[in-house]
Amino acid sequence: MTDALEMDALWEDFHRVVNMTSQELAAWLRVRDAEEESEPLPEEAGTPTGRHVLSILQKRRTDLTDDDVRVMRKVVDTVTSEVDVENEPQAEDEHRRHRLMTLGHDPLKASR
């Protein structure tokens, strides 16, 4: 796994870039996958990565698995590389915003 200092840094970075609560992310994943006449079961809503981020948000740091750590690194790297802190996307950039929200990062929430 990862040593304690690396884990502390990753935990902080993950919770910095994932700025949606578990309730907000769960609701977004359900809405994102809802169709006109049906809605997926809560545990089946969203992408596999989005569902994994949601499960990480509901865990304590001591309960993380190696797979959780891998996903946390992926999310931190993806969000960090796509988000320019000085220039968060605006509401018009809806596709990009929704893609980031699937990872638990709402760019509009970050700019409030």
Side-chain angles (χ1 to χ4, degrees), residues 34-103:
E35 296 179 10
E36 196 169 312
E37 296 182 24
S38 67
E39 184 174 325
L41 296 172
E43 62 275 359
E44 295 174 3
T47 65
T49 303
R51 289 191 306 268
H52 202 142
V53 169
L54 181 59
S55 77
I56 292 168
L57 288 174
Q58 297 168 340
K59 290 184 176 186
R60 296 175 305 182
R61 183 175 8 195
T62 57
D63 297 332
L64 296 175
T65 66
D66 288 341
D67 199 37
D68 294 336
V69 171
R70 181 189 56 76
V71 169
M72 289 170 70
R73 284 190 179 117
K74 176 182 173 185
V75 168
V76 169
D77 291 345
T78 301
V79 172
T80 302
S81 69
E82 289 200 29
V83 174
D84 177 358
V85 179
E86 298 295 320
N87 190 18
E88 285 284 357
Q90 301 303 309
E92 307 85 55
D93 199 358
E94 188 174 329
H95 176 73
R96 181 170 177 252
R97 177 180 181 228
H98 289 176
R99 189 167 28 83
L100 288 169
M101 286 174 67
T102 301
L103 298 176

Side-chain angles (χ1 to χ4, degrees), residues 9-49:
L10 178 60
W11 181 261
E12 288 178 28
D13 288 345
F14 179 79
H15 284 89
R16 178 181 46 81
V17 301
V18 175
N19 63 0
M20 296 170 71
T21 65
S22 59
Q23 294 85 4
E24 290 169 332
L25 179 55
W28 166 248
L29 294 175
R30 284 191 307 274
V31 166
R32 179 187 170 275
D33 279 3
E35 296 179 10
E36 196 169 312
E37 296 182 24
S38 67
E39 184 174 325
L41 296 172
E43 62 275 359
E44 295 174 3
T47 65
T49 303

